[in-house]
Amino acid sequence: MELTTFWFLVIAFLWTGYFVLEGFDFGVGALLPVIGRTDAERGQAISTIGPVWDGNEVWLITAVGATFAAFPAWYAGLLSGYYLPLVLVLAALIVRGVALEWRGKVRPAERRLCDAGIAAGSAVAAATWGAVFGHLLFGSARAAVLGGALSLAVAVLHGSVFLALKTAGPLRARARRLTPAAAVAALPLAAVSLPALADLAAGTAGAGVGAGSAGTAGAAGGAGWTAHPLVWAAAAGAVAALATAVALAWRRREGWAFAATAAAITLVAGTVFTTLHRAPLPGLTLAEAASGPYTLGVLTWIGLVALPFVLGYQAWTYWVFRRRVTA
C-alpha cells in the first residue's frame, strides 16, 4: 500500500473514531435540558461523560494534525473554504468545555447557565460538523442543512442509548423512553440522505465531489447499486443499524444498542471517506493534496509510535469508568 493511501485511511479512522466517541458526548449534552429534571439528575448525566469527553476530543486534534502534515493542500482548502463554520465549531467546543469544567465549581444557581452552555455547544457542534461534510460532498445548501440535521439527530440517538447504558434509576428509564423519540427524527433523515451519499460514493452523482445536490444524486440510484454493491450495502446497513439500536434499547440490551449506533456512524463515515478518496476537495485529487514521500515516511514512523499510545489510553479510560453512574 502506498503511503498516500495509508495516511488517508489513518485520517479516515481518526475522524470515524471522533464521530463515534464524541457523538455520544454531543448527544448527552444536547439532551441535558430534557433528560435531567433536577440538578442532581443533570449532574448524573454529565458524570457519564465527565471522565472521557476531553479525551474524545484528542481524536479531532489528531485527525486535524495528521491532515495538516500528510495532506497540506486538503487542510488549507478545507479550513479556508469552511472558515466560518469551523470557527463556529471551535466556539461551540470552547463554550461546552468551559461549561463542563465550571459546572462543579459554581453555586447551584449558576449551574443552569453552565447546563445551557453544555446543551447549546453540543448541539451546535454536532449539527455544524454534519453541515460541513454535507456541503463538502454535495456542494449545496440543501445538502448542508440535511447533513446537519442528520448529524444532530444521530448524535441525540447515540447519546440517549449511551445514557441508558451508563445510568441507573429514573434517568435510565427516561433515556430508554427518549430513544424511540430520537429515532423518529434520525431514521427518516438517514433513509433520505444515505442513498444519495451511496450514489455519490459509487461515482454516479457526477464527475466529482460537489458535482450535484442530494436530490440529483438520489436520482441515479440504479447504476450505483449494480456497480458498487458494497457502498450501497454500507448505506443500507447504517439505516438498519439505527433501527436495530432502537429495538435493542427497548429490550434493555443497551450494550448491544450502543454497538449498533456506533456501527451506523462507522458505516456512514466509511461511505463519506470512500467518496473523499476520489477527490478530497472539488478539483483536487488525493495525490495532489499529499505531502512528499519523505514527509509521509517520517510521519509513518511517528504514527507507529503515537497512535497505539492514543488507542491504549482511550481503552484504559473506558475500562476504568465502565460502571453505571448512580444519582
Side-chain angles (χ1 to χ4, degrees):
M1 181 187 299
E2 61 176 346
L3 290 179
T4 300
T5 302
F6 170 77
W7 272 100
F8 181 83
L9 291 175
V10 169
I11 290 169
F13 170 75
L14 292 171
W15 275 106
T16 302
Y18 172 70
F19 290 137
V20 169
L21 297 177
E22 193 82 307
F24 70 76
D25 274 0
F26 290 152
V28 171
L31 283 170
L32 196 59
V34 179
I35 199 73
R37 295 180 178 175
T38 65
D39 182 71
E41 287 185 345
R42 289 189 290 274
Q44 182 185 359
I46 292 172
S47 295
T48 63
I49 63 173
V52 298
W53 71 268
D54 49 354
N56 292 342
E57 291 188 353
V58 171
W59 289 78
L60 173 62
I61 297 168
T62 309
V64 173
T67 305
F68 169 76
F71 301 98
W74 184 16
Y75 172 89
L78 187 64
L79 267 69
S80 60
Y82 294 93
Y83 180 80
L84 290 179
L86 293 178
V87 168
L88 181 61
V89 170
L90 183 60
L93 292 178
I94 290 172
V95 169
R96 175 175 173 268
V98 170
L100 283 166
E101 293 291 344
W102 281 8
R103 191 183 190 279
K105 303 176 178 65
V106 298
R107 293 173 295 179
E110 298 169 335
R111 288 178 187 162
R112 285 281 187 177
L113 182 61
C114 291
D115 293 342
I118 294 168
S122 299
V124 169
T128 307
W129 277 127
V132 167
F133 277 93
H135 190 275
L136 176 64
L137 290 168
F138 293 98
S140 70
R142 181 171 57 179
V145 172
L146 186 60
L150 175 64
S151 179
L152 179 57
V154 171
V156 168
L157 177 59
H158 197 35
S160 67
V161 172
F162 181 77
L163 282 169
L165 173 64
K166 290 290 293 180
T167 59
L171 198 65
R172 181 190 179 196
R174 201 171 301 129
R176 288 181 59 244
R177 290 195 298 270
L178 280 172
T179 297
V184 169
L187 287 173
L189 286 168
V192 168
S193 59
L194 293 183
L197 179 58
D199 272 332
L200 190 65
T204 62
V209 176
S213 69
T216 303
W225 167 252
T226 57
H228 297 273
L230 290 179
V231 175
W232 272 89
V239 178
L242 291 175
T244 302
V246 178
L248 288 169
W250 188 254
R251 292 173 61 87
R252 302 191 180 187
R253 304 296 297 274
E254 290 91 358
W256 287 107
F258 182 76
T261 54
I265 295 171
T266 300
L267 290 170
V268 173
T271 310
V272 167
F273 282 95
T274 297
T275 307
L276 293 177
H277 182 265
R278 185 170 68 248
L281 288 173
L284 181 71
T285 67
L286 197 64
E288 293 169 340
S291 297
Y294 177 79
T295 301
L296 293 177
V298 172
L299 285 175
T300 300
W301 287 107
I302 295 173
L304 290 174
V305 175
L307 194 57
F309 174 78
V310 173
L311 296 177
Y313 164 79
Q314 287 274 288
W316 177 80
T317 302
Y318 280 95
W319 174 256
V320 170
F321 297 102
R322 65 189 182 278
R323 301 190 182 279
R324 292 186 185 271
V325 178
T326 57

